Amino acid sequence: MMTIHKRPVRFALSTAQLLLPIALVTLCAGPARAEEAPPGPWHEGVSEERKQRAQALFEEARELHRRAMLAEARAKYEEALAAWEQPELRLYLGRLLKLMGLPLPAHESLRLALRWGPGSLDAEKEQEARAAMRALAERELAAIRIRCDEPGAVVLMDGQRWFVGPGAERRMVLPGEHVITAKKNGYFTVVKPILVVAGKEASGQIALSADTVVSRPWWATWIPWATLGAGAAMGIAGGALMWHADTDHAEVHQRLRDGCVPTCEAFDRDAYDRSVLENRLGIGALVAGGATVITGTVLLFMNRPEAYRTPDRGGVKIEFRPAASLEGAMLSGRVVF
């Protein structure tokens, strides 16, 4: 019985010895070569020479990575990606950047590794990439989503051009304060700081207001002209009354002179009262009309349009709100500027 049991043990040990080198080679293997990999969009337009160059650079990067020469390994990974943008190369670079404590470029590299969708990586590596992205988003990064509906408005983040409206964009950022700027010729520039914390998303909308110079009179335009017209009318009426008073006075004088036969008796001065009253009224209307004309002229001069800038009614309304995605969920509060 002992003899029978020893043979399987020896066979199992010999099989393990045969499989161990194969397993080690598999763990240290790089991305599949072009001829071994299933066709994908990342193969289009890339020559075999570039693929072989990328493979050689990748192997150099892996060796530097194993020797903990991280900066040198990063440079080699990036050089390989410049030759061939390949999903697994992106995944390896993402791993290295995460190890170097660079969460933002690590997240971007992992995102690029998954940008071609399911099948670009094998199931295990795809799960690894998504888990790493979720961990970075929840613990070390934040997100900002901004919308601007003003056509032609340039939106910047921390002084760097982001996008041109109309539209909305989302970007992963490091926790802390970031400055959103929106500008367009003829509009007030909007500058708003946003403070975000790890694991939260800030979303907001930018509104710009026109920066123009407008003219506005002190009073309605018709008021000085109406005053001027009223003064002129009063002056004309006063002149007419004075002319009529002179006519009445002449008629009364002629009538009294004709009544003197052969001599004139004392006459009643009341006969001149109407002409005297009209004369006085005419003088008063003429004086009032002249004063009104002067007033209207002054109002017309003072009512010249006054130029001023329109008020700045633009701004950014920022909200921190719960956000969920395939990579994970984030819970947040709300802040409005």
Side-chain angles (χ1 to χ4, degrees):
M1 295 295 292
M2 295 299 293
T3 305
I4 294 172
H5 285 293
K6 287 179 181 178
R7 287 178 182 175
V9 170
R10 288 175 182 172
F11 176 76
L13 289 173
S14 61
T15 303
Q17 290 172 351
L18 289 172
L19 292 177
L20 183 58
I22 298 174
L24 290 174
V25 170
T26 303
L27 288 174
C28 296
R33 296 178 182 272
E35 61 271 18
E36 299 171 355
W42 53 92
H43 289 275
E44 297 177 1
V46 183
S47 65
E48 288 298 323
E49 181 182 357
R50 287 174 57 188
K51 293 177 183 178
Q52 291 173 6
R53 173 172 170 74
Q55 184 70 29
L57 289 168
F58 169 78
E59 291 171 358
E60 293 181 31
R62 286 288 294 159
E63 180 60 28
L64 293 169
H65 194 165
R66 280 191 289 266
R67 291 163 56 187
M69 301 174 67
L70 303 185
E72 293 81 356
R74 177 185 180 181
K76 287 294 180 182
Y77 279 131
E78 291 174 346
E79 190 177 351
L81 283 165
W84 185 20
E85 183 67 36
Q86 207 260 10
E88 285 193 37
L89 285 175
R90 276 289 171 192
L91 175 63
Y92 277 89
L93 177 59
R95 288 174 180 170
L96 177 65
L97 292 171
K98 190 172 184 291
L99 181 63
M100 293 175 69
L102 301 171
L104 192 57
H107 187 278
E108 179 64 12
S109 190
L110 293 170
R111 184 190 69 81
L112 291 174
L114 296 170
R115 64 176 167 169
W116 284 291
S120 56
L121 296 170
D122 61 47
E124 183 178 352
K125 289 179 179 177
E126 181 176 340
Q127 184 178 3
E128 175 197 347
R130 293 190 182 279
M133 288 179 67
R134 181 168 57 250
L136 289 170
E138 292 177 352
R139 301 171 189 171
E140 301 184 58
L141 297 176
I144 296 178
R145 183 192 297 273
I146 294 294
R147 180 176 186 83
C148 180
D149 292 329
E150 184 62 45
V154 179
V155 180
L156 302 93
M157 179 184 291
D158 298 331
Q160 300 297 318
R161 187 185 179 100
W162 187 4
F163 67 95
V164 178
E169 292 290 337
R170 181 179 185 271
R171 176 179 288 185
M172 300 300 295
V173 297
L174 293 172
E177 185 177 82
H178 298 272
V179 178
I180 301 298
T181 306
K183 56 184 181 179
K184 179 182 177 181
N185 289 337
Y187 288 75
F188 286 100
T189 297
V190 173
V191 180
K192 289 292 182 182
I194 301 174
L195 183 64
V196 287
V197 296
K200 296 183 181 179
E201 176 179 309
S203 62
Q205 183 165 352
I206 297 177
L208 283 78
S209 60
D211 181 8
T212 57
V213 176
V214 298
S215 298
R216 182 181 61 184
W218 287 90
W219 307 281
T221 308
W222 63 270
I223 293 178
W225 289 106
T227 304
L228 194 62
M234 291 175 66
I236 292 172
L241 283 173
M242 291 179 67
W243 176 82
H244 195 268
D246 288 343
T247 302
D248 283 350
H249 187 85
E251 288 179 356
V252 171
H253 183 73
Q254 183 65 36
R255 188 171 58 253
L256 292 175
R257 189 181 59 180
D258 293 343
C260 295
V261 180
T263 59
C264 292
E265 298 179 356
F267 60 88
D268 191 356
R269 295 187 58 86
D270 291 342
Y272 290 98
D273 286 348
R274 179 180 176 183
S275 61
V276 171
L277 178 61
E278 287 181 347
N279 186 65
R280 290 175 178 175
L281 290 175
I283 293 173
L286 195 61
V287 171
T292 305
V293 167
I294 293 173
T295 303
T297 303
V298 173
L299 290 177
L300 193 63
F301 178 79
M302 294 178 60
N303 203 41
R304 291 178 300 176
E306 180 186 25
Y308 69 99
R309 294 180 69 186
T310 54
D312 182 4
R313 301 185 183 277
V316 185
K317 181 180 180 183
I318 301 296
E319 295 182 351
F320 289 99
R321 59 187 182 183
S325 65
L326 294 176
E327 285 77 22
M330 293 177 283
L331 181 62
S332 60
R334 174 179 176 179
V335 178
V336 178
F337 291 86

